[in-house]
Structures are given as structure tokens and as C-alpha cells.
Amino acid sequence: DAGVTQSPTHLIKTRGQQVTLRCSPKSGHDTVSWYQQALGQGPQFIFQYYEEEERQRGNFPDRFSGHQFPNYSSELNVNALLLGDSALYLCASSPDQGLNTEAFFGQGTRLTVV
Amino acid sequence: DQQVKQNSPSLSVQEGRISILNCDYTNSMFDYFLWYKKYPAEGPTFLISISSIKDKNEDGRFTVFLNKSAMHLSLHIVPSQPGDSAVYFCASTHGSQGNLIFGKGTKLSVKP
């Protein structure tokens, strides 16, 4: 079992550009959550997807959007990138209605905006 | 305003001794608390959790204590091992399925 896989592992983008990050959940998991971890901070919840719909959302602007596909994989899109969007983006998957203890995190995508 | 606070950015402990990591929370609605461990270049890994109906939960070398009146929890690692060296995050949530609110983390170094 490959666990949660994220791609790419590292990415450099220019301010104002758009970026798409990808996540494949652990086998058997159908719920995907995205977190942003800025340097020196803890992960901050962005949103959660279940049954291809956004189920919960944290305090992030509309520039952050997502999508979930029928195979449960997910994308995080960020438009009009700002320097402050530079961070580690973490994807976590869990079975629906599963406890948070059952959430598995991927290794993250390190995004650098220059 | 930070709802989950880990006020010690780092902690250094000798191998075999006890490591105590602390966490404070400000939201009285939180009723489920978790600790995660994170190694460099890896995602956070779940370590141990506790519900607000308990004041202690133990799993091998790891014990979490919850003091609801003080809105404080702590993670004890006994005995500490060099492989425990990592960043430890405290996280809280309302309900066992809510989104997680993380602290900033404490970097633990266990020296041989």
C-alpha cells in the first residue's frame, strides 16, 4: 500500500501564476483534506473533499480551490500566487466518518513563490 | 489568534530520560486532542489521542495527560530514545471528525 502520495514534491512558481497540486489518497480512503504549513508554523486546514464536493473549508481566500475525482484523488489549485503562499502543502486522507486518528498524511509539496 | 499553543519551540533531553511536551488551548469547544510526530521530508504521523472525557491515555512509552480546567495537555515519552527526535505537533478539534487545529510544534532532540 503506497499510502498517501502527493505530486510534485517541490515546485517553484512566479508571483501571479497559477499552480495545481495533486494527491492520491490511501487505498480504502474516500475523504481528502488539504493543509498549508508555513515555515515555523503548524499545518492550517484549507478544505476537505468528500463525494467530489467541498464539505468543510478553513479561513482561506477563494484563490484556493479544489477538486475531487471519482477515484477519490484530489487537486488543490491556487490562483494569482502571492509570495506568502510559499509553504508546504499537505494532503491527508481518511475513510468517511473516520476518526481523525485514521487520517494519513502525505509527504507534502513544497511550493516556493518567487 | 492561536487556539492551540505550543510555547516551547525546542526541547533537548538525554536518552533514557523523560520528555515532556506541553500544549495549551483556548477554545472550550475542543473535545478531542491529538499528538503528531513529523520527521523532515515526511508528513505528520499520528502518535496518540485523548478525548475530553478522559484525563489520561497511555500507549507504550507515550502518555498524554489532559487538564480540562487548565485547558492544558502534555505528552510524556518515557524512556526517550534518539529515534524520537522529531517535531511534535499538538492538534485539537471539536468532535472526533472535525478539521484539526494545530500548534506550531516543538522540536525534540534526544541525545545519546
Side-chain angles (χ1 to χ4, degrees):
Chain A
D1 183 5
V4 180
T5 57
Q6 293 186 243
S7 62
T9 54
H10 295 85
L11 198 55
I12 300 176
K13 287 287 191 178
T14 303
R15 190 172 43 183
Q17 285 188 316
Q18 179 263 346
V19 69
T20 298
L21 310 181
R22 295 176 176 82
C23 172
S24 292
K26 179 178 169 63
S27 178
H29 288 185
D30 55 12
T31 302
V32 174
S33 301
W34 286 91
Y35 289 81
Q36 179 196 68
Q37 186 182 5
L39 198 61
Q41 304 293 316
Q44 189 173 358
F45 176 73
I46 303 175
F47 43 53
Q48 182 184 80
Y49 275 84
Y50 170 68
E51 288 190 342
E52 303 180 47
E53 295 209 354
E54 184 182 289
R55 185 161 67 173
Q56 293 185 60
R57 188 179 182 93
N59 188 25
F60 277 80
D62 292 344
R63 297 187 298 109
F64 290 77
S65 63
H67 189 76
Q68 186 179 34
F69 299 93
N71 67 352
Y72 309 124
S73 67
S74 176
E75 289 181 348
L76 164 65
N77 301 292
V78 187
N79 293 322
L81 284 166
L82 304 173
L83 297 180
D85 295 331
S86 295
L88 178 69
Y89 288 85
L90 294 162
C91 169
S93 74
S94 57
D96 183 46
Q97 304 305 315
L99 303 175
N100 276 306
T101 56
E102 299 179 47
F104 284 76
F105 282 84
Q107 84 284 1
T109 294
R110 173 73 61 187
L111 172 65
T112 302
V113 182
V114 297
Chain B
D1 183 33
Q2 270 209 299
Q3 299 184 72
V4 178
K5 300 178 183 179
Q6 293 178 258
N7 292 319
S8 298
S10 62
L11 175 67
S12 184
V13 171
Q14 206 67 32
E15 181 179 7
R17 307 295 290 265
I18 184 171
S19 296
I20 301 176
L21 297 98
N22 294 302
C23 177
D24 297 292
Y25 60 97
T26 61
N27 189 336
S28 59
M29 294 295 291
F30 289 150
D31 57 6
Y32 198 66
F33 306 90
L34 307 92
W35 285 93
Y36 281 83
K37 178 169 71 173
K38 187 179 184 301
Y39 294 117
E42 293 184 14
T45 302
F46 168 74
L47 198 55
I48 192 169
S49 65
I50 189 167
S51 163
S52 61
I53 63 174
K54 296 185 176 181
D55 54 19
K56 176 183 174 182
N57 188 25
E58 192 171 353
D59 183 3
R61 297 185 297 115
F62 303 90
T63 303
V64 56
F65 295 92
L66 176 62
N67 182 334
K68 289 186 290 295
S69 60
M71 300 176 84
H72 176 85
L73 63 154
S74 61
L75 173 68
H76 293 211
I77 307 174
V78 184
S80 302
Q81 299 173 354
D84 295 330
S85 297
V87 177
Y88 288 78
F89 290 100
C90 169
S92 304
T93 185
H94 175 57
S96 59
Q97 298 153 17
N99 58 284
L100 299 171
I101 308 297
F102 285 86
K104 290 186 177 182
T106 296
K107 184 176 182 180
L108 174 64
S109 298
V110 180
K111 301 192 183 303

